Amino acid sequence: MVQHTHKEITILIIDDDKDISDNLAEYLTENGYSTTNTYTGQKGLELIKQQHPHITLVEFKLPDINGIELLKSIRTNSPETIVILVSDYATIDAIAESIKHGAYDFIAKPFSFNELELILRRAIEKKTRREKLTYLKRRNIILALTLPLWALLGYLLINLFI
């Protein structure tokens, strides 16, 4: 079954503030995550389609695309990617709209790295649980489909040798 370590977790950072994006990438890399960062929503969407990262940190207000529109595009192009929106504009409406469209969480700037790490750990745990559930469902489907075949083979073998 799936058990992720930090090194296996890929995080894409999409933030038009170069300093924030670079600092986040540096911090996350130093803490064992594999990161890529970009400064535009369009480039971020291209990277999503190419890399299918485990987690994406997305600035809610990007100059080239609205955070909700980018969130919808990410959910369409990489449904397994967990999206965490980050913004100075953490209004109740923005948070509700984000969650409604599939964001895992919404974190308000400025935030501490400890706060981010807690959210990332919960997101990784959720992803791991979801992958385990998918694995178990697939295994159960295979068992359900092959069990009648095994029963038939057993019946034939018993009747051939009796």
Side-chain angles (χ1 to χ4, degrees):
M1 285 195 245
V2 180
Q3 199 68 350
H4 292 296
T5 63
H6 279 5
K7 290 179 185 176
E8 296 171 329
I9 298 296
T10 56
I11 300 176
L12 173 61
I13 303 160
I14 306 171
D15 197 318
D16 60 321
D17 185 323
K18 189 174 180 343
D19 291 334
I20 290 174
S21 185
D22 292 345
N23 287 336
L24 272 174
E26 182 180 341
Y27 169 80
L28 293 170
T29 301
E30 287 174 358
N31 284 280
Y33 296 99
S34 175
T35 63
T36 305
N37 60 325
T38 186
Y39 315 111
T40 68
Q42 289 302 324
K43 181 63 177 171
L45 194 52
E46 289 173 27
L47 290 169
I48 290 282
K49 291 175 184 177
Q50 293 168 4
Q51 299 176 358
H52 298 282
H54 294 102
I55 299 171
T56 302
L57 298 172
V58 178
E59 166 59 45
F60 187 72
K61 295 238 180 192
L62 293 166
D64 64 332
I65 189 169
N66 172 290
I68 296 297
E69 293 307 312
L70 182 56
L71 171 62
K72 289 177 186 178
S73 293
I74 293 170
R75 302 298 301 143
T76 299
N77 290 289
S78 186
E80 295 300 314
T81 297
I82 292 174
V83 180
I84 300 169
L85 289 171
V86 180
S87 185
D88 293 334
Y89 311 99
T91 66
I92 297 296
D93 289 340
I95 294 169
E97 185 80 3
S98 301
I99 301 300
K100 175 181 162 187
H101 290 289
Y104 173 75
D105 210 336
F106 194 114
I107 186 169
K109 291 179 185 177
F111 55 85
S112 70
F113 287 128
N114 288 338
E115 184 180 2
L116 177 61
E117 184 66 31
L118 180 63
I119 290 170
L120 290 174
R121 284 185 187 178
R122 285 193 325 238
I124 292 165
E125 287 172 11
K126 177 183 180 179
K127 184 162 190 59
T128 301
R129 281 193 311 271
R130 189 170 42 193
E131 288 172 350
K132 284 180 183 177
L133 183 60
T134 300
Y135 166 79
L136 291 172
K137 283 180 181 178
R138 286 184 182 145
R139 188 190 71 182
N140 288 343
I141 288 170
I142 290 168
L143 287 174
L145 292 174
T146 59
L147 193 57
L149 177 62
W150 289 111
L152 177 61
L153 286 173
Y155 174 78
L156 290 173
L157 287 173
I158 290 170
N159 286 319
L160 286 174
F161 294 109
I162 293 183

